Amino acid sequence: MLRYRSAETELPGDPVLSAARLAESGLFDQYVVYEREGDCWFAGGVLGEIVVDRSEIRGRWLTDETVTPLGPRPLRQVQEKLRDMAVEGWHAYGWMAFEFSHLHTDRPHRAGDDRLLHLVVPHSEVRLRQNGTALVRSTDQETLDSLLALLSHPIEPCIAEPRPIEVSGTGSGYPEMVTEALEEIRTSELQKVILSRTLTIPFPVDFVATYLHGRTHNTPARSYLLNLAGRRVVGFSPETVAEVDADGHVITQPLAGTRARGLGEKEDERLRVELLADPKEISEHVLSVKLAEEEMATVCRPGSVSVRDLLSVRQRGSVQHLGSSVHGELAEDASAWDVLRAVFPAVTASGIPKGPAYDCITRLERERRGIYSGAVLMAGSDGSLDAALVLRSLFEEGGRTWLRAGAGILSGSTPERELEETCEKLRSVAPYVVPARPARVVAPSLQG
């Protein structure tokens, strides 16, 4: 079994800035940055990986590869593959597509032919702590020394010039889509559905600079910067899909109900009061919390599920949401991957009931969501898992770069208001998009 070599060092600056320096170092062609509760994890390179598509799960450890047909419990298979990763104290990082949800329905063909999950166990890992220290791990001494050297030099924040993206007046077709959904809600068992729209970015983007610039203007539950196998994502997640610690405490944090913020103290407060008094927004939130409770109860000890901070207002970048936290204790026969199976996709990104919501989304949106409204996650060999809902994000794949945002549609919705809500959410990222430019030299003193 491999062992990570490790060392601790002091940080010269903010963990997010240090994570960006590591991403731009050129040491790794693939990486994930995951910010959680003030600390940043940087995962660079690939020792092992797991890829899931509609029909099979592929695993690789160093040069050994396996292919297994997909069974009825694909996340249990992922868990088993991770147990085979022969390195002590591993963490896995990666993403899960919204369409993974179709694997648990009677229409798995809707999952499409693209990847549905991609996890990597990294060659090197750095935990950048908000207390000013870093734990550095690598499987070889040379890389460990290079990482320590990079982290030892003072960081001068790069002044990035964003090119703001206009989001108003770009919702062609969205109001009509909302109108169709409202008719379906009126005539069927569907109670709520989240419908989204995309906005193409017409120029190449500097993802690291966008991450740094956007992070200073956002207040996310989690943030992430991902570059894996040709897919790049930068985002500022407003909520977690699932949090499971090594002791079996479980949390999911549904946010539903939205108003704009950042309009001045007086206007923000007026909108906060309006949000707390709006029957449509309160109904949307309570329905979401109720379903989250029911899902958590399937994988938690009986009587352990509870709701905390019900209908609290949480500030997330350019918007404020109604939020609640649903807590529980993991059942003896369940794992963190069972929790993710139970609550994924987030009710706040799909709908109620989920089955009819999938049908509505598939029919009206037409294009697959991919990572959008799925999850970016990290998991540990100690049984822990942390999965961020992928919203307020910028995406790049196959030569295309885009933003995407949605709104929750239920019987009290109006097409005009839901379109405006997508604009409010897009403004968490759209003003901070930095165009690509010639490669920057991060640490000139290390060269030569």
Side-chain angles (χ1 to χ4, degrees):
M1 176 172 286
L2 278 176
R3 292 176 181 266
Y4 284 111
R5 301 167 185 263
S6 63
E8 290 207 33
T9 187
E10 293 185 0
L11 282 180
D14 180 80
V16 171
L17 289 174
S18 296
R21 164 176 279 182
L22 295 174
E24 290 193 316
S25 68
L27 287 173
F28 309 100
D29 60 351
Q30 299 189 81
Y31 59 80
V32 177
V33 172
Y34 193 81
E35 183 196 10
R36 170 183 165 190
E37 297 171 346
D39 289 359
C40 273
W41 277 260
F42 173 85
V46 180
L47 285 178
E49 64 183 335
I50 296 171
V51 175
V52 175
D53 62 25
R54 189 177 69 191
S55 60
E56 62 186 22
I57 175 169
R58 300 187 297 279
R60 179 176 68 81
W61 173 252
L62 302 179
T63 58
D64 295 334
E65 298 186 10
T66 60
V67 179
T68 307
L70 210 61
R73 302 295 293 273
L75 287 179
R76 285 275 180 97
Q77 291 179 275
V78 169
Q79 181 182 6
E80 291 165 6
K81 291 279 187 186
L82 284 171
R83 285 174 178 160
D84 294 335
M85 297 294 172
V87 62
E88 206 169 55
W90 55 261
H91 287 115
Y93 300 80
W95 58 268
M96 189 170 171
F98 175 83
E99 284 78 14
F100 196 100
S101 57
H102 294 307
L103 298 179
H104 300 116
T105 71
D106 59 358
R107 301 177 184 179
H109 63 278
R110 285 184 174 176
D113 298 322
D114 292 339
R115 290 183 174 187
L116 301 173
L117 177 145
H118 187 186
L119 298 176
V120 299
V121 173
H123 172 279
S124 301
E125 181 184 57
V126 184
R127 181 176 180 178
L128 303 146
R129 303 187 183 102
Q130 59 181 332
N131 68 5
T133 65
L135 174 63
V136 185
R137 306 199 304 170
S138 183
T139 53
D140 72 78
Q141 189 64 45
E142 183 180 357
T143 305
L144 181 68
D145 292 342
S146 296
L147 290 167
L148 291 168
L150 276 168
L151 293 171
S152 69
H153 289 261
I155 300 174
E156 294 184 9
C158 182
I159 299 174
E161 290 294 335
R163 187 184 300 175
I165 306 298
E166 177 56 51
V167 301
S168 299
T170 60
S172 177
Y174 189 79
E176 292 77 13
M177 189 161 53
V178 172
T179 299
E180 290 189 51
L182 285 169
E183 177 62 17
E184 189 160 335
I185 289 169
R186 189 182 68 81
T187 59
S188 74
E189 64 175 322
L190 183 65
Q191 299 177 61
K192 171 186 173 181
V193 63
I194 286 76
L195 295 178
S196 65
R197 65 186 183 93
T198 60
L199 181 59
T200 299
I201 307 300
F203 51 81
V205 170
D206 183 329
F207 271 67
V208 176
T210 298
Y211 176 61
L212 287 174
H213 198 55
R215 181 62 187 84
T216 63
H217 293 86
N218 274 276
T219 48
R222 302 288 187 267
S223 74
Y224 39 81
L225 174 65
L226 180 149
N227 184 355
L228 286 180
R231 290 173 170 86
R232 295 202 290 177
V233 184
V234 56
F236 314 103
S237 174
E239 66 184 273
T240 55
V241 182
E243 304 170 47
V244 186
D245 67 22
D247 296 323
H249 185 64
V250 183
I251 306 173
T252 187
Q253 300 195 49
L255 271 62
T258 306
R259 285 295 185 275
R261 67 175 293 270
L263 305 175
E265 184 176 344
K266 187 175 181 180
E267 180 64 6
D268 285 357
E269 176 60 18
R270 185 190 71 79
L271 290 171
R272 187 187 76 86
V273 172
E274 179 181 286
L275 175 61
L276 285 166
D278 189 313
K280 179 263 181 185
E281 304 288 9
I282 293 172
S283 173
E284 178 183 358
H285 186 80
V286 171
L287 284 170
S288 299
V289 172
K290 182 176 182 293
L291 180 55
E293 278 189 281
E294 293 170 355
E295 291 173 336
M296 288 273 280
T298 66
V299 289
C300 290
R301 286 194 293 105
S304 71
V305 177
S306 63
V307 179
R308 305 178 191 176
D309 303 320
L310 180 66
L311 293 170
S312 58
V313 177
R314 304 184 186 182
Q315 298 181 348
R316 295 290 187 256
S318 61
V319 292
Q320 48 191 323
H321 293 290
L322 295 176
S324 300
S325 300
V326 184
H327 294 245
E329 298 298 328
L330 195 63
E332 289 186 8
D333 60 347
S335 73
W337 296 98
D338 295 319
V339 173
L340 187 58
R341 160 70 180 88
V343 299
F344 185 90
V347 58
T348 51
S350 53
I352 304 170
K354 283 187 175 179
Y358 300 157
D359 293 343
C360 185
I361 290 167
T362 301
R363 183 172 60 260
L364 295 181
E365 290 191 350
R366 294 187 176 87
E367 65 175 327
R368 73 189 303 272
R369 289 183 170 187
I371 304 176
Y372 170 75
S373 71
V376 169
L377 62 95
M378 64 178 290
S381 59
D382 61 358
S384 62
L385 183 146
D386 197 273
L389 176 58
V390 180
L391 303 175
R392 320 294 141 77
S393 298
L394 176 71
F395 308 89
E396 182 184 89
E397 183 180 341
R400 178 184 173 223
T401 307
W402 69 97
L403 297 167
R404 191 162 185 165
I409 317 302
L410 62 165
S411 59
S413 295
T414 65
E416 297 76 19
R417 169 59 200 153
E418 303 309 334
L419 175 60
E420 178 55 31
E421 183 172 317
T422 67
C423 294
E424 292 167 356
K425 292 172 177 176
L426 287 166
R427 292 187 186 107
S428 286
V429 184
Y432 314 118
V433 178
V434 179
R437 49 189 166 169
R440 289 172 285 159
V441 177
V442 178
S445 60
L446 294 181
Q447 300 203 4

